[in-house]
Amino acid sequence: MKESRCWKHLVLALALLLTGAVRAQQPQGSQPGAGGLDTADIERRVGAKGELSADEGVFKVSLPRSDIQASAAGVKLTPPLGLTAWAAFKRTGDATMVMGDIVLLEDQVNPVMDAALQNGLEVTALHNHFFWDNPKVMFMHIGGMGETARLADAVGKVFTRLRETAGGKGRVPRASIDPARSKLEVTQLDTLLGQKGTYKDGVYKVTVGRTVRMHGYEMGKAMGVNTWAAFAGTSRQAVVDGDFAMLESELQPVLKALRAANIDIVAIHNHMTGEEPRMMFLHYWGVGPAEALARGVRSALDLTTASTGTGAR
């Protein structure tokens, strides 16, 4: 009987020692099952409440866009139907990874994108999730890896900019331009862009090819693997729109270059599947003096291998 009690005391002591060791290894402020994340600190830095998925060690903060009064084909859209911005944190070795999806109206996209890029986050996709929605709702996917507090602060800046631009306080670059009345200095644009463009029906356009391989065959410029820019208007007030074909490694530098030139990003997605190397496509829109727009496009083009002639056709 006495031996049985001794064994029980020994087992209890060992259990207490193991529990203490586990707690000692957890970062200060972390919760059991939180994968080493200080969830209370994340909530404080982000400015939004979160929920822990203990089985995956993921802490997800959410910001319902209940302020958006939107419908899709007559159906009222609510946060549970997809109008909830979120960011999920997970420890990965010695670092933390964050992934998220930010729900935005069109005028909010680029101001909120700036907040993400300027605070060390990556913007990995920009697209729609609905048809026939009014007002139009866009979804911007973000990601990052590093120190938990830094990532949480960055997401907090994104959420803050989202709140600041809500209710029509974002940015819409408007211009009254009719391509039929364009008066562009074509030679100057050729020089600024480093490409020979075409000028037809009031639109100046340059196209630079890239190449990939699909199913063992080379696909290039004529198959749609290209970067292009189209200008209309005058030297004083012009519009540029176009599409960048980029390697994944080129996406973030190109985004930052275009935004530095005040050129808006309107979509980031893929056009193909199974290509080698993988190619991302970015659609953009800018309004301003033609020279400034051309310099902005060129600054981004110089960050891709296409600008040096690699893959050009």
Side-chain angles (χ1 to χ4, degrees), residues 263-313:
I263 294 174
D264 289 312
I265 313 302
V266 298
I268 307 168
H269 51 210
N270 62 299
H271 286 189
M272 305 163 287
T273 58
E275 77 277 11
E276 295 180 1
R278 188 180 184 209
M279 198 67 64
M280 299 293 294
F281 291 82
L282 175 157
H283 300 261
Y284 61 92
W285 174 276
V287 173
E291 179 179 348
L293 294 174
R295 291 186 184 279
V297 172
R298 177 62 184 273
S299 70
L301 186 60
D302 284 345
L303 296 171
T304 72
T305 56
S307 65
T308 63
T310 304
R313 291 289 185 271

Short mmCIF file of all heavy atoms in Angstrom, two decimals, residues 263-313:
data_model
loop_
_atom_site.label_atom_id
_atom_site.label_comp_id
_atom_site.label_asym_id
_atom_site.label_seq_id
_atom_site.Cartn_x
_atom_site.Cartn_y
_atom_site.Cartn_z
N ILE A 263 0.46 54.70 -60.37
CA ILE A 263 -0.32 53.91 -61.33
C ILE A 263 -1.07 52.84 -60.55
O ILE A 263 -0.47 52.12 -59.74
CB ILE A 263 0.60 53.28 -62.39
CG1 ILE A 263 1.22 54.39 -63.25
CG2 ILE A 263 -0.17 52.30 -63.27
CD1 ILE A 263 2.25 53.90 -64.24
N ASP A 264 -2.36 52.76 -60.76
CA ASP A 264 -3.21 51.85 -59.99
C ASP A 264 -3.16 50.43 -60.51
O ASP A 264 -3.11 50.19 -61.72
CB ASP A 264 -4.66 52.35 -60.01
CG ASP A 264 -4.85 53.61 -59.19
OD1 ASP A 264 -4.38 53.65 -58.05
OD2 ASP A 264 -5.47 54.57 -59.69
N ILE A 265 -3.21 49.49 -59.57
CA ILE A 265 -3.27 48.07 -59.89
C ILE A 265 -4.74 47.65 -59.87
O ILE A 265 -5.45 47.95 -58.91
CB ILE A 265 -2.48 47.23 -58.87
CG1 ILE A 265 -1.10 47.85 -58.62
CG2 ILE A 265 -2.37 45.78 -59.34
CD1 ILE A 265 -0.25 48.02 -59.84
N VAL A 266 -5.20 46.96 -60.91
CA VAL A 266 -6.61 46.59 -60.97
C VAL A 266 -6.85 45.08 -60.96
O VAL A 266 -7.97 44.63 -60.73
CB VAL A 266 -7.30 47.21 -62.22
CG1 VAL A 266 -7.25 48.73 -62.13
CG2 VAL A 266 -6.66 46.75 -63.51
N ALA A 267 -5.79 44.28 -61.18
CA ALA A 267 -5.94 42.82 -61.08
C ALA A 267 -4.57 42.17 -61.01
O ALA A 267 -3.61 42.67 -61.61
CB ALA A 267 -6.71 42.27 -62.28
N ILE A 268 -4.47 41.08 -60.27
CA ILE A 268 -3.26 40.24 -60.24
C ILE A 268 -3.75 38.80 -60.25
O ILE A 268 -4.47 38.38 -59.35
CB ILE A 268 -2.42 40.47 -58.96
CG1 ILE A 268 -2.10 41.95 -58.76
CG2 ILE A 268 -1.14 39.64 -59.01
CD1 ILE A 268 -1.54 42.25 -57.38
N HIS A 269 -3.32 38.04 -61.26
CA HIS A 269 -3.80 36.67 -61.37
C HIS A 269 -2.95 35.89 -62.37
O HIS A 269 -1.95 36.40 -62.88
CB HIS A 269 -5.28 36.64 -61.78
CG HIS A 269 -5.60 37.47 -62.99
ND1 HIS A 269 -6.82 38.07 -63.20
CD2 HIS A 269 -4.84 37.82 -64.07
CE1 HIS A 269 -6.81 38.73 -64.34
NE2 HIS A 269 -5.63 38.59 -64.89
N ASN A 270 -3.34 34.67 -62.66
CA ASN A 270 -2.67 33.87 -63.68
C ASN A 270 -3.52 33.84 -64.94
O ASN A 270 -4.74 34.01 -64.89
CB ASN A 270 -2.41 32.45 -63.18
CG ASN A 270 -3.69 31.71 -62.86
OD1 ASN A 270 -4.45 32.14 -62.00
ND2 ASN A 270 -3.95 30.61 -63.55
N HIS A 271 -2.89 33.65 -66.09
CA HIS A 271 -3.61 33.48 -67.35
C HIS A 271 -3.51 32.05 -67.87
O HIS A 271 -4.23 31.67 -68.79
CB HIS A 271 -3.03 34.41 -68.43
CG HIS A 271 -3.41 35.85 -68.25
ND1 HIS A 271 -3.14 36.82 -69.19
CD2 HIS A 271 -4.05 36.50 -67.23
CE1 HIS A 271 -3.59 38.00 -68.77
NE2 HIS A 271 -4.13 37.83 -67.58
N MET A 272 -2.59 31.29 -67.30
CA MET A 272 -2.33 29.93 -67.78
C MET A 272 -2.13 29.00 -66.59
O MET A 272 -1.97 29.47 -65.46
CB MET A 272 -1.06 29.90 -68.66
CG MET A 272 -1.08 30.87 -69.83
SD MET A 272 0.56 31.17 -70.53
CE MET A 272 1.31 32.20 -69.27
N THR A 273 -2.11 27.72 -66.86
CA THR A 273 -1.72 26.74 -65.85
C THR A 273 -0.73 25.77 -66.49
O THR A 273 -0.84 25.44 -67.67
CB THR A 273 -2.92 25.94 -65.31
OG1 THR A 273 -3.59 25.28 -66.39
CG2 THR A 273 -3.90 26.85 -64.59
N GLY A 274 0.22 25.33 -65.71
CA GLY A 274 1.18 24.34 -66.19
C GLY A 274 2.34 24.89 -66.98
O GLY A 274 3.17 24.13 -67.49
N GLU A 275 2.45 26.22 -67.08
CA GLU A 275 3.55 26.80 -67.85
C GLU A 275 4.85 26.76 -67.04
O GLU A 275 4.81 26.74 -65.80
CB GLU A 275 3.23 28.23 -68.28
CG GLU A 275 3.35 29.29 -67.19
CD GLU A 275 2.13 29.40 -66.31
OE1 GLU A 275 1.23 28.52 -66.38
OE2 GLU A 275 2.06 30.37 -65.52
N GLU A 276 5.99 26.78 -67.73
CA GLU A 276 7.30 26.81 -67.10
C GLU A 276 8.16 27.87 -67.77
O GLU A 276 8.34 27.80 -68.99
CB GLU A 276 7.98 25.45 -67.20
CG GLU A 276 7.27 24.34 -66.45
CD GLU A 276 7.99 23.01 -66.59
OE1 GLU A 276 9.05 22.95 -67.27
OE2 GLU A 276 7.50 22.03 -66.04
N PRO A 277 8.66 28.86 -67.03
CA PRO A 277 8.39 29.11 -65.61
C PRO A 277 7.00 29.67 -65.40
O PRO A 277 6.37 30.13 -66.36
CB PRO A 277 9.46 30.14 -65.24
CG PRO A 277 9.68 30.90 -66.50
CD PRO A 277 9.56 29.88 -67.60
N ARG A 278 6.53 29.65 -64.17
CA ARG A 278 5.20 30.18 -63.88
C ARG A 278 5.18 31.68 -64.14
O ARG A 278 6.09 32.41 -63.75
CB ARG A 278 4.82 29.90 -62.43
CG ARG A 278 3.37 30.24 -62.15
CD ARG A 278 2.99 29.97 -60.72
NE ARG A 278 1.58 30.22 -60.51
CZ ARG A 278 1.05 30.60 -59.36
NH1 ARG A 278 1.81 30.78 -58.31
NH2 ARG A 278 -0.24 30.81 -59.24
N MET A 279 4.13 32.15 -64.79
CA MET A 279 4.01 33.55 -65.15
C MET A 279 2.78 34.16 -64.48
O MET A 279 1.69 33.60 -64.53
CB MET A 279 3.90 33.70 -66.67
CG MET A 279 4.19 35.08 -67.21
SD MET A 279 5.92 35.61 -67.03
CE MET A 279 6.80 34.44 -68.05
N MET A 280 2.99 35.31 -63.83
CA MET A 280 1.89 36.05 -63.22
C MET A 280 1.54 37.24 -64.11
O MET A 280 2.39 37.76 -64.83
CB MET A 280 2.29 36.56 -61.83
CG MET A 280 2.64 35.47 -60.84
SD MET A 280 1.24 34.44 -60.39
CE MET A 280 0.21 35.63 -59.52
N PHE A 281 0.28 37.68 -64.04
CA PHE A 281 -0.17 38.81 -64.86
C PHE A 281 -0.79 39.87 -63.96
O PHE A 281 -1.57 39.57 -63.06
CB PHE A 281 -1.17 38.34 -65.91
CG PHE A 281 -0.53 37.49 -66.97
CD1 PHE A 281 -0.29 36.15 -66.76
CD2 PHE A 281 -0.14 38.05 -68.18
CE1 PHE A 281 0.33 35.36 -67.73
CE2 PHE A 281 0.47 37.28 -69.16
CZ PHE A 281 0.70 35.93 -68.93
N LEU A 282 -0.42 41.11 -64.26
CA LEU A 282 -0.85 42.26 -63.46
C LEU A 282 -1.45 43.30 -64.41
O LEU A 282 -0.80 43.73 -65.36
CB LEU A 282 0.35 42.83 -62.72
CG LEU A 282 0.22 44.10 -61.90
CD1 LEU A 282 1.33 44.14 -60.86
CD2 LEU A 282 0.32 45.35 -62.77
N HIS A 283 -2.68 43.68 -64.17
CA HIS A 283 -3.35 44.70 -64.99
C HIS A 283 -3.34 46.03 -64.24
O HIS A 283 -3.53 46.06 -63.03
CB HIS A 283 -4.78 44.26 -65.31
CG HIS A 283 -4.84 42.97 -66.06
ND1 HIS A 283 -5.01 42.92 -67.43
CD2 HIS A 283 -4.75 41.68 -65.65
CE1 HIS A 283 -5.02 41.65 -67.82
NE2 HIS A 283 -4.86 40.89 -66.76
N TYR A 284 -3.13 47.11 -64.98
CA TYR A 284 -2.97 48.41 -64.33
C TYR A 284 -3.68 49.51 -65.10
O TYR A 284 -4.06 49.35 -66.27
CB TYR A 284 -1.48 48.74 -64.17
CG TYR A 284 -0.73 48.85 -65.48
CD1 TYR A 284 -0.59 50.08 -66.13
CD2 TYR A 284 -0.16 47.73 -66.09
CE1 TYR A 284 0.09 50.20 -67.33
CE2 TYR A 284 0.52 47.83 -67.28
CZ TYR A 284 0.65 49.06 -67.91
OH TYR A 284 1.31 49.16 -69.10
N TRP A 285 -3.83 50.67 -64.43
CA TRP A 285 -4.53 51.83 -64.99
C TRP A 285 -3.95 53.09 -64.36
O TRP A 285 -3.85 53.17 -63.13
CB TRP A 285 -6.02 51.72 -64.68
CG TRP A 285 -6.87 52.90 -65.06
CD1 TRP A 285 -7.08 54.04 -64.32
CD2 TRP A 285 -7.64 53.05 -66.24
NE1 TRP A 285 -7.94 54.88 -64.98
CE2 TRP A 285 -8.30 54.30 -66.17
CE3 TRP A 285 -7.83 52.25 -67.36
CZ2 TRP A 285 -9.13 54.76 -67.17
CZ3 TRP A 285 -8.67 52.71 -68.37
CH2 TRP A 285 -9.31 53.95 -68.27
N GLY A 286 -3.56 54.04 -65.19
CA GLY A 286 -3.00 55.27 -64.64
C GLY A 286 -3.48 56.49 -65.39
O GLY A 286 -3.74 56.44 -66.60
N VAL A 287 -3.62 57.60 -64.67
CA VAL A 287 -4.04 58.87 -65.26
C VAL A 287 -3.04 59.94 -64.84
O VAL A 287 -2.66 60.02 -63.66
CB VAL A 287 -5.45 59.26 -64.79
CG1 VAL A 287 -5.81 60.66 -65.25
CG2 VAL A 287 -6.47 58.26 -65.30
N GLY A 288 -2.60 60.76 -65.81
CA GLY A 288 -1.66 61.83 -65.50
C GLY A 288 -0.94 62.29 -66.75
O GLY A 288 -1.31 61.91 -67.87
N PRO A 289 0.10 63.11 -66.61
CA PRO A 289 0.90 63.52 -67.77
C PRO A 289 1.51 62.29 -68.46
O PRO A 289 1.97 61.36 -67.79
CB PRO A 289 1.99 64.41 -67.15
CG PRO A 289 1.39 64.88 -65.86
CD PRO A 289 0.57 63.74 -65.37
N ALA A 290 1.51 62.29 -69.78
CA ALA A 290 1.99 61.13 -70.54
C ALA A 290 3.42 60.76 -70.18
O ALA A 290 3.76 59.57 -70.06
CB ALA A 290 1.86 61.40 -72.03
N GLU A 291 4.27 61.77 -70.02
CA GLU A 291 5.68 61.49 -69.71
C GLU A 291 5.82 60.78 -68.37
O GLU A 291 6.57 59.81 -68.24
CB GLU A 291 6.49 62.79 -69.71
CG GLU A 291 7.96 62.57 -69.39
CD GLU A 291 8.78 63.85 -69.42
OE1 GLU A 291 8.28 64.89 -69.92
OE2 GLU A 291 9.94 63.81 -68.94
N ALA A 292 5.10 61.26 -67.35
CA ALA A 292 5.18 60.65 -66.03
C ALA A 292 4.68 59.20 -66.06
O ALA A 292 5.27 58.31 -65.43
CB ALA A 292 4.38 61.46 -65.02
N LEU A 293 3.61 58.97 -66.80
CA LEU A 293 3.07 57.61 -66.89
C LEU A 293 4.06 56.69 -67.60
O LEU A 293 4.27 55.54 -67.18
CB LEU A 293 1.74 57.63 -67.65
CG LEU A 293 0.58 58.36 -66.95
CD1 LEU A 293 -0.63 58.42 -67.88
CD2 LEU A 293 0.22 57.69 -65.64
N ALA A 294 4.67 57.19 -68.69
CA ALA A 294 5.64 56.37 -69.43
C ALA A 294 6.85 56.05 -68.57
O ALA A 294 7.37 54.91 -68.60
CB ALA A 294 6.06 57.10 -70.70
N ARG A 295 7.30 57.01 -67.80
CA ARG A 295 8.44 56.75 -66.91
C ARG A 295 8.08 55.72 -65.84
O ARG A 295 8.89 54.88 -65.47
CB ARG A 295 8.91 58.05 -66.25
CG ARG A 295 9.57 59.03 -67.22
CD ARG A 295 10.15 60.23 -66.48
NE ARG A 295 10.69 61.21 -67.40
CZ ARG A 295 11.88 61.14 -67.99
NH1 ARG A 295 12.68 60.11 -67.70
NH2 ARG A 295 12.29 62.08 -68.81
N GLY A 296 6.86 55.78 -65.36
CA GLY A 296 6.43 54.82 -64.36
C GLY A 296 6.37 53.41 -64.92
O GLY A 296 6.84 52.45 -64.28
N VAL A 297 5.82 53.27 -66.13
CA VAL A 297 5.77 51.95 -66.77
C VAL A 297 7.17 51.43 -67.03
O VAL A 297 7.49 50.26 -66.81
CB VAL A 297 4.95 52.01 -68.07
CG1 VAL A 297 5.05 50.69 -68.84
CG2 VAL A 297 3.48 52.33 -67.77
N ARG A 298 8.05 52.32 -67.50
CA ARG A 298 9.43 51.91 -67.80
C ARG A 298 10.16 51.47 -66.53
O ARG A 298 10.94 50.50 -66.54
CB ARG A 298 10.19 53.08 -68.45
CG ARG A 298 11.67 52.80 -68.73
CD ARG A 298 11.85 51.66 -69.73
NE ARG A 298 13.26 51.34 -69.93
CZ ARG A 298 14.04 51.95 -70.84
NH1 ARG A 298 13.53 52.90 -71.63
NH2 ARG A 298 15.29 51.59 -70.98
N SER A 299 9.92 52.15 -65.41
CA SER A 299 10.59 51.77 -64.16
C SER A 299 10.21 50.35 -63.75
O SER A 299 11.03 49.62 -63.20
CB SER A 299 10.24 52.76 -63.05
OG SER A 299 8.88 52.64 -62.65
N ALA A 300 8.97 49.96 -64.03
CA ALA A 300 8.54 48.60 -63.72
C ALA A 300 9.07 47.61 -64.76
O ALA A 300 9.49 46.50 -64.42
CB ALA A 300 7.02 48.54 -63.67
N LEU A 301 9.06 48.02 -66.02
CA LEU A 301 9.55 47.15 -67.09
C LEU A 301 11.02 46.80 -66.89
O LEU A 301 11.45 45.68 -67.16
CB LEU A 301 9.35 47.83 -68.45
CG LEU A 301 9.66 47.00 -69.70
CD1 LEU A 301 8.78 45.76 -69.76
CD2 LEU A 301 9.48 47.86 -70.95
N ASP A 302 11.78 47.76 -66.38
CA ASP A 302 13.21 47.52 -66.15
C ASP A 302 13.46 46.48 -65.07
O ASP A 302 14.59 45.99 -64.93
CB ASP A 302 13.91 48.83 -65.76
CG ASP A 302 14.13 49.74 -66.96
OD1 ASP A 302 14.03 49.27 -68.10
OD2 ASP A 302 14.42 50.94 -66.75
N LEU A 303 12.45 46.17 -64.29
CA LEU A 303 12.60 45.17 -63.22
C LEU A 303 12.26 43.75 -63.71
O LEU A 303 12.32 42.81 -62.93
CB LEU A 303 11.69 45.54 -62.05
CG LEU A 303 12.04 46.85 -61.35
CD1 LEU A 303 10.95 47.23 -60.36
CD2 LEU A 303 13.39 46.75 -60.66
N THR A 304 11.90 43.61 -64.98
CA THR A 304 11.60 42.30 -65.54
C THR A 304 12.67 41.93 -66.56
O THR A 304 13.29 42.80 -67.16
CB THR A 304 10.21 42.28 -66.22
OG1 THR A 304 10.27 43.04 -67.44
CG2 THR A 304 9.16 42.88 -65.32
N THR A 305 12.86 40.64 -66.75
CA THR A 305 13.87 40.21 -67.73
C THR A 305 13.48 40.58 -69.14
O THR A 305 14.32 40.64 -70.02
CB THR A 305 14.07 38.68 -67.65
OG1 THR A 305 12.81 38.02 -67.84
CG2 THR A 305 14.65 38.28 -66.31
N ALA A 306 12.19 40.87 -69.36
CA ALA A 306 11.74 41.26 -70.70
C ALA A 306 12.39 42.56 -71.14
O ALA A 306 12.60 42.79 -72.33
CB ALA A 306 10.22 41.40 -70.74
N SER A 307 12.71 43.44 -70.17
CA SER A 307 13.25 44.76 -70.53
C SER A 307 14.64 44.66 -71.15
O SER A 307 15.07 45.56 -71.84
CB SER A 307 13.31 45.65 -69.28
OG SER A 307 14.22 45.14 -68.33
N THR A 308 15.36 43.56 -70.88
CA THR A 308 16.70 43.41 -71.43
C THR A 308 16.71 42.65 -72.73
O THR A 308 17.75 42.38 -73.29
CB THR A 308 17.60 42.68 -70.43
OG1 THR A 308 17.08 41.34 -70.22
CG2 THR A 308 17.65 43.40 -69.10
N GLY A 309 15.49 42.28 -73.16
CA GLY A 309 15.40 41.55 -74.42
C GLY A 309 15.23 40.06 -74.21
O GLY A 309 14.93 39.32 -75.15
N THR A 310 15.41 39.57 -72.99
CA THR A 310 15.21 38.15 -72.72
C THR A 310 13.73 37.80 -72.92
O THR A 310 12.86 38.35 -72.27
CB THR A 310 15.61 37.80 -71.28
OG1 THR A 310 16.94 38.21 -71.08
CG2 THR A 310 15.46 36.31 -71.03
N GLY A 311 13.47 36.91 -73.82
CA GLY A 311 12.10 36.52 -74.09
C GLY A 311 11.37 37.46 -75.03
O GLY A 311 10.22 37.26 -75.33
N ALA A 312 12.01 38.53 -75.50
CA ALA A 312 11.34 39.46 -76.41
C ALA A 312 11.25 38.86 -77.79
O ALA A 312 12.14 38.17 -78.25
CB ALA A 312 12.11 40.77 -76.45
N ARG A 313 10.16 39.17 -78.47
CA ARG A 313 9.93 38.67 -79.84
C ARG A 313 9.40 39.81 -80.68
O ARG A 313 8.60 40.59 -80.22
CB ARG A 313 8.92 37.51 -79.84
CG ARG A 313 9.46 36.23 -79.18
CD ARG A 313 10.53 35.58 -80.03
NE ARG A 313 10.96 34.30 -79.47
CZ ARG A 313 11.94 34.18 -78.58
NH1 ARG A 313 12.55 35.24 -78.13
NH2 ARG A 313 12.30 33.01 -78.14
#
